[in-house]
Amino acid sequence: MNRGIAVGLSLPIALVLLGSGRADAGSSTPAVAVAPPATPVIVGDSVPASSVERSVSDALAAIAPHVTRSSHPDALRLAFVAYFRYRDAHPERVRKPYLYYVDYGLDNRTARGYVFDMEAQTVLEGPFNVAHGRGSSRGRDGVPTSFSNRAGSNATSLGLYLTQETYSFSGRSGGRRYTSVGLRLAGLSDGFNDAARRRGVVTHGAPYVSARDAGRSEGCPAMEQARARRLLPMIANGALVFLYSPHDPHWLGTGPWIRGATQTS
């Protein structure tokens, strides 16, 4: 779904076929005509078009000064590269202008989550605490360093996601039952997070996330319950989520929607 498609001068019209998100009950396209360009380009995530580069540059100038901590100089830029590449390739699927961004290069006692309004180029909310999967770190506290797309790993999966439907649920934490709201996610980074629906990886409110720190989940980027009730319905059904870490070289080098965009600084 994420591979680049070469468009040359010999084609009078190029049709970019748009896929559909994975859905199952376990944890929820028309062709677009493209006029022939003056020079061959790549449509997809392999090479950013000049329009994507301009959008990324503008978003960084407006938003980066308001991001208080970052684990790597390239973190926020890669989030914006993935956002604009996907939005430009699949505009009909990105129905809301929001990006939920988590920097998992930071530890779980550091506020590392944001929601950006990419149209207004503002920070809608954040920074706030976000949980990572217990399969991604050895102890409760610290920086996650292991990531997986495998069922049963209880690990965080890096990459780009599309938000889908919200739902209410009840769960247990520390032996106590709680109720909250969840938001299902479709993984868009094939091989890295595309098993999210099957694994039941969602974003949701949880009592083990507070204003002080975040506990560990089963792979979900969980947030405080009051924040989830406020934010998740707003970003449901057509916003994007980007989970970043500088600690997975394979994903940084080959991950869909960021491939070829990683810098070494």
Side-chain angles (χ1 to χ4, degrees), residues 87-163:
R87 191 198 67 175
D88 281 15
H90 302 289
E92 82 293 348
R93 298 176 73 181
V94 183
R95 298 190 293 271
K96 294 184 176 178
Y98 305 121
L99 174 64
Y100 174 26
Y101 163 73
V102 185
D103 184 349
Y104 279 127
L106 301 172
D107 66 71
N108 69 326
R109 291 160 293 184
T110 299
R112 54 190 177 181
Y114 292 83
V115 173
F116 304 131
D117 184 327
M118 299 300 288
E119 187 173 282
Q121 297 190 344
T122 59
V123 176
L124 193 66
E125 189 142 346
F128 51 86
N129 287 320
V130 182
H132 62 258
R134 65 174 182 264
S136 289
S137 64
R138 292 185 177 181
R140 181 190 184 279
D141 297 330
V143 177
T145 57
S146 178
F147 305 94
S148 178
N149 194 34
R150 179 175 54 83
S153 67
N154 293 320
T156 294
S157 298
L158 301 177
L160 190 68
Y161 299 78
L162 183 70
T163 65

Side-chain angles (χ1 to χ4, degrees), residues 4 19 24 29 52 56 74-75 81 86 99 105 121 125 133 136 160 162 171 185 215 219 237 259:
D24 64 42
T29 22
V52 170
V56 170
D74 217 21
V81 166
Y86 186 81
L99 174 64
Q121 297 190 344
E125 189 142 346
S136 289
L160 190 68
L162 183 70
L185 304 173
N237 297 308
R259 186 164 44 239

Side-chain angles (χ1 to χ4, degrees), residues 74-259:
D74 217 21
L76 192 61
R77 189 184 67 85
L78 286 180
F80 293 165
V81 166
Y83 177 89
F84 287 114
R85 283 182 175 181
Y86 186 81
R87 191 198 67 175
D88 281 15
H90 302 289
E92 82 293 348
R93 298 176 73 181
V94 183
R95 298 190 293 271
K96 294 184 176 178
Y98 305 121
L99 174 64
Y100 174 26
Y101 163 73
V102 185
D103 184 349
Y104 279 127
L106 301 172
D107 66 71
N108 69 326
R109 291 160 293 184
T110 299
R112 54 190 177 181
Y114 292 83
V115 173
F116 304 131
D117 184 327
M118 299 300 288
E119 187 173 282
Q121 297 190 344
T122 59
V123 176
L124 193 66
E125 189 142 346
F128 51 86
N129 287 320
V130 182
H132 62 258
R134 65 174 182 264
S136 289
S137 64
R138 292 185 177 181
R140 181 190 184 279
D141 297 330
V143 177
T145 57
S146 178
F147 305 94
S148 178
N149 194 34
R150 179 175 54 83
S153 67
N154 293 320
T156 294
S157 298
L158 301 177
L160 190 68
Y161 299 78
L162 183 70
T163 65
Q164 299 188 310
E165 78 276 14
T166 58
Y167 63 99
S168 299
F169 72 96
S170 59
R172 284 187 174 275
S173 177
R176 296 183 178 181
R177 293 193 67 81
Y178 70 96
T179 59
S180 193
V181 59
L183 172 61
R184 293 194 170 99
L185 304 173
L188 303 173
S189 297
D190 291 354
F192 293 93
N193 69 9
D194 55 337
R197 292 282 312 207
R198 295 195 306 273
R199 291 180 60 201
V201 172
V202 300
T203 182
H204 62 87
Y208 51 80
V209 183
S210 69
R212 182 176 59 88
D213 66 0
R216 294 186 298 167
S217 66
E218 294 183 356
C220 302
M223 60 181 67
E224 295 168 79
Q225 293 191 81
R227 180 170 280 109
R229 285 191 288 270
R230 182 174 68 255
L231 282 182
L232 297 190
M234 182 177 62
I235 68 173
N237 297 308
L240 293 174
V241 176
F242 187 78
L243 307 184
Y244 169 84
S245 173
H247 301 301
D248 189 332
H250 179 52
W251 171 70
L252 287 169
T254 66
W257 307 110
I258 62 167
R259 186 164 44 239

Side-chain angles (χ1 to χ4, degrees), residues 58-70:
D58 290 346
L60 282 172
I63 295 174
H66 306 288
V67 174
T68 56
R69 294 282 301 276
S70 184

